[in-house]
Amino acid sequence: MHARRDGKLRLAMESGRDLRSSAEAAGRRQFDALSVEASAIAGLDSASARRELRATLSKHGLQAGVLRHRVSGRGLSETCDVDRFVDELAKSLTAARDCGFACVACDLGQVPSRPTTTPAPKAKAPDAGLLILPGADEIAKFGQGDVSEPSKPADADHVALAEEALRVVATHADRLTLPVAFGTTLASDDDLSALLSAVDCRLFGRELDPASSLDALSHDVASVVALTPPLLHVVGSDAQGHGVRQRACKLGEGDVPWAELADVLRQADFGGFVTLPHGAPAALPA
């Protein structure tokens, strides 16, 4: 393993369709590793394809960074085919172990929503029986979402389905001793953390897609990084705007606070990879 090139952070380049040219470009730009889509490697389940991958990376002085696994359909939705979900992910885990990847990253898609309840301000004794009008502070809190009605409870069957699927995956991860970084672009960071904490696998962690978590990062970068389970992989994404008006953009040209995020990752001694887009320079946006 060679020295990290961006302070304490290890940077990987996302592979394009041509693995050899991607590896050559990543080595030339002095990346630490190459992250690869499992579906982009023809015959990944064959020993020869895995040997070729290892040889290609070694030739350009690269580590096998993160193997990206794409879940079929809508991910861990209420109608997820658990057997198919587990079988496909187990194959990627085995391939990643045989190819020497640091971890597997998987976007789970839809996961059960965690119910949240924030109580409204209580009336003080002297105000009992009077018409209580909200003050400026209460109005401001309401606008920020600090005063809200209880959300719809999570569906018990969906929770059980998601936890069952991940517990079976956990047995494969334990057998192979391979970390798995889970993310979700269709649910909140809190929902994902709650699901992974319930499964409680020592090899499960989180993948952070900054563009998908822009609202949370804009509020407090450190709290997003400090969520449990631990952060294992960061995607080099960026976006402009919030909510329905958000749109993807070139890395460093959006609203993601990359400089602050990089500082927080270094201070937290983040040991995973930050995967940057194909063709990007081996440096995080300032």
Side-chain angles (χ1 to χ4, degrees):
M1 181 181 296
H2 48 267
R4 299 178 184 181
R5 297 187 172 96
D6 188 2
K8 295 181 178 180
L9 300 181
R10 293 187 294 173
L11 303 182
M13 190 179 85
E14 183 177 357
S15 173
R17 293 183 179 180
D18 188 327
L19 180 62
R20 292 182 180 179
S21 63
S22 295
E24 191 278 330
R28 186 175 65 252
R29 294 186 175 96
Q30 295 192 320
F31 274 90
D32 297 286
L34 193 68
S35 292
V36 181
E37 287 278 354
S39 60
I41 306 176
L44 186 59
D45 56 348
S46 73
S48 60
R50 297 175 187 182
R51 284 196 300 270
E52 182 179 358
L53 173 61
R54 291 194 297 266
T56 299
L57 295 176
S58 177
K59 177 181 178 181
H60 298 287
L62 298 169
Q63 301 171 54
V66 177
L67 186 67
R68 307 294 303 279
H69 173 83
R70 292 192 179 275
V71 178
S72 301
R74 295 156 59 199
L76 278 182
S77 66
E78 298 90 336
T79 58
C80 173
D81 182 335
V82 173
D83 290 337
R84 180 181 179 184
F85 171 85
V86 171
D87 182 61
E88 292 177 345
L89 186 48
K91 289 180 179 178
S92 288
L93 287 170
T94 301
R97 188 276 311 272
D98 291 346
C99 293
F101 280 93
C103 76
V104 168
C106 174
D107 186 332
L108 290 174
Q110 296 182 349
V111 301
S113 298
R114 185 178 68 168
T116 56
T117 303
T118 305
K122 296 181 179 180
K124 298 178 182 178
D127 297 327
L130 300 178
L131 176 63
I132 303 174
L133 297 177
D137 292 341
E138 284 75 18
I139 293 174
K141 289 180 180 179
F142 186 86
Q144 296 169 1
D146 291 336
V147 180
S148 61
E149 295 296 326
S151 65
K152 182 181 179 181
D155 182 87
D157 291 338
H158 189 194
V159 171
L161 178 98
E163 291 183 1
E164 174 193 359
L166 290 187
R167 286 195 175 100
V168 177
V169 173
T171 62
H172 290 282
D174 281 331
R175 178 174 58 83
L176 300 171
T177 319
L178 186 70
V180 187
F182 289 108
T184 171
T185 53
L186 299 177
S188 70
D189 293 330
D190 287 338
D191 290 340
L192 176 63
S193 291
L195 174 61
L196 296 180
S197 295
V199 176
D200 191 25
C201 174
R202 65 186 178 89
L203 291 169
F204 282 1
R206 294 180 296 115
E207 175 183 70
L208 174 63
D209 183 334
S212 298
S213 302
L214 183 53
D215 288 341
L217 288 171
S218 299
H219 183 259
D220 187 353
V221 172
S223 65
V224 174
V225 172
L227 282 173
T228 55
L231 188 61
L232 299 180
H233 181 230
V234 178
V235 179
S237 64
D238 214 333
Q240 295 176 340
H242 299 269
V244 296
R245 296 186 177 181
Q246 186 181 89
R247 64 183 182 85
C249 66
K250 186 177 180 180
L251 185 66
E253 296 182 358
D255 297 324
V256 172
W258 269 105
E260 183 180 357
L261 176 57
D263 286 341
V264 171
L265 290 173
R266 293 186 186 100
Q267 292 169 12
D269 199 24
F270 172 67
F273 282 102
V274 180
T275 298
L276 303 186
H278 179 70
L284 293 176

